[in-house]
Each structure stands twice: as C-alpha cells, then as structure tokens.
C-alpha cells in the first residue's frame, strides 16, 4: 500500500514539474519578429518591405497613415516617418502604400473653421481654468484637399476614407472634403477607425 502511495506521489510531483516548465515564459530578446504572406516577400501592392531602425528616421516626422487592405474590405492603420510635415510628403507615402496612383500631386490644401463644440478630442481644453489664459484649439472643423488625380477603381470609397483619415489625424481637422480638379469626390468625411 505504501509503495502505491509513493508511486502516485512521484507521478504527481513529476506532473507538477512538467506543468511549471511548460508555463514558464521564455525570453528571446534578440529574436526578430516574423512577417508572413506577401509582406515578408516584399511584394504586392500596398505592402512595404520590412526594414530595421534607421538613425535618420529620428530626424523625421512621425505620421499616422491609413491604407486599404489587400481585399479592400477594411482600413489598416500604421505609423510612418516623413522628412517634413507637408501635404505632398503625406501623399507620397499614400502612393508608396498603394492608396494613390503614381504621379498624384497636391493642388491645394486648406484648414478652416472653429469646431462647434469644445469637446473635439483628447488634449483639448473643455473648460476655462481660473487664472490661466484661454487657449485656442489647433483643431479646425473643415479640411479641403484638392489632388490632380484619384484612382477610379473598385476600392475608391475605401481609398477616399484612407486619405481622409490620414489628413484628419495629421492636420487636426474634424471633417475632410476631397476634390479632383474642382470636382468634389467626397464631402465632410469624418474619421473612421482602422479595421472597419
């Protein structure tokens, strides 16, 4: 009887050691992540090849960039860098991600209007603090972007939203209108989260 109890206790102990070993996290600090699919191969429209950290990027401006998934079903968001915060630099990144066609240029971009509500987003003062000067929000209500061309394809609606989201995030506007040669393609687009 004692022999059977010892055997059972040894088996339980061995199982506990194995379960602890299986649950212990491992730390591979020098192991790089992997990318699957066409992004790993560096091919396909709308994919950008993987690259390591570049010291020159520290001098660049960090932007939010939105693109359309390969199947056109949803928006995808990422962070990118550009040499300076200009409308054309952002359009060039949208070209790189396959949202806009090669040769697309900014004809004009304007921001105007004061938001109707002070509750327009994070970091915006919603009440006056006694003894502190009242500051004006950098957020404008409307942005109007005019381009020389825009892709006319099956994903046009999602591409318009990707361009609008990119400009809304980076230029602090609430609503975007996108035009081509004076013709309005989309009016008063508001921000839509990536994944939708």
């Amino acid at each position: 009887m004692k022999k059977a109890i010892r055997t059972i206790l040894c088996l339980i102990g061995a199982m506990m050691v194995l379960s602890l070993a299986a649950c212990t996290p491992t730390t591979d600090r020098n192991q790089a992540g992997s990318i699957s699919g066409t992004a790993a191969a560096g091919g396909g429209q709308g994919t950008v090849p993987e690259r390591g950290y570049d010291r020159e990027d520290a001098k660049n401006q960090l932007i939010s960039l939105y693109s359309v998934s390969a199947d056109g079903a949803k928006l995808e968001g990422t962070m990118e860098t550009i040499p300076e915060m200009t409308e054309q630099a952002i359009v060039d990144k949208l070209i790189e991600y396959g949202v806009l066609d090669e040769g697309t240029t900014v004809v004009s971009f304007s921001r105007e209007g004061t938001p109707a509500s002070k509750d327009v987003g994070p970091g915006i003062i919603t009440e006056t603090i006694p003894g502190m000067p009242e500051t004006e929000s950098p957020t404008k209500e409307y942005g109007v972007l005019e381009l020389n061309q825009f892709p006319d394809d099956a994903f046009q609606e999602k591409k318009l939203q990707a361009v609008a989201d990119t400009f809304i995030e980076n230029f602090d506007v609430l609503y975007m209108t996108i035009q081509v040669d004076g013709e309005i393609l989309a009016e008063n687009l508001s921000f839509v989260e990536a994944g939708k």
Side-chain angles (χ1 to χ4, degrees):
M1 177 84 172
K2 284 187 178 185
K3 197 172 191 178
I5 292 176
R6 278 188 190 160
T7 306
I8 291 173
L9 288 175
C10 285
L11 286 174
I12 290 173
M15 288 175 34
M16 287 176 56
V17 167
L18 289 175
S19 67
L20 286 175
C23 294
T24 305
T26 59
T27 56
D28 292 336
R29 295 176 189 229
N30 295 328
Q31 184 178 1
S34 62
I35 298 177
S36 62
T38 59
Q45 183 178 5
T47 61
V48 177
E50 182 181 7
R51 62 178 185 194
Y53 175 75
D54 183 2
R55 285 191 174 274
E56 292 299 312
D57 278 350
K59 298 176 185 175
N60 293 333
Q61 298 287 319
L62 187 64
I63 62 165
S64 298
L65 189 108
Y66 294 87
S67 59
V68 181
S69 63
D71 64 358
K74 62 183 178 177
L75 294 177
E76 298 175 335
T78 189
M79 301 299 283
E80 262 295 345
T81 57
I82 55 175
E84 60 182 311
M85 184 65 83
T86 65
E87 298 86 13
Q88 188 60 50
I90 289 178
V91 164
D92 291 343
K93 277 294 178 188
L94 288 167
I95 292 169
E96 187 178 321
Y97 275 76
V99 176
L100 297 173
D101 291 337
E102 195 70 40
T104 302
T105 59
V106 175
V107 175
S108 66
F109 176 68
S110 63
R111 299 171 55 230
E112 58 192 39
T114 303
S117 168
K118 289 187 177 185
D119 299 323
V120 293
I124 305 302
I125 296 175
T126 58
E127 60 184 53
T128 305
I129 301 171
M132 296 293 292
E134 191 170 319
T135 59
E136 185 176 327
S137 168
T139 302
K140 298 294 182 187
E141 187 147 15
Y142 299 103
V144 178
L145 174 66
E146 185 169 359
L147 301 170
N148 68 330
Q149 64 182 5
F150 200 89
D152 186 17
D153 58 21
F155 304 135
Q156 185 179 31
E157 186 176 321
K158 288 286 186 188
K159 288 182 177 184
L160 284 165
Q161 190 64 56
V163 171
D165 283 1
T166 300
F167 274 78
I168 286 169
E169 281 269 321
N170 295 298
F171 289 107
D172 291 325
V173 294
L174 296 179
Y175 304 102
M176 278 297 301
T177 296
I178 301 172
Q179 302 175 349
V180 172
D181 294 330
E183 179 186 338
I184 296 174
L185 297 180
E187 189 169 20
N188 294 334
L189 292 174
S190 60
F191 184 80
V192 173
E193 290 184 30
K196 296 189 177 185

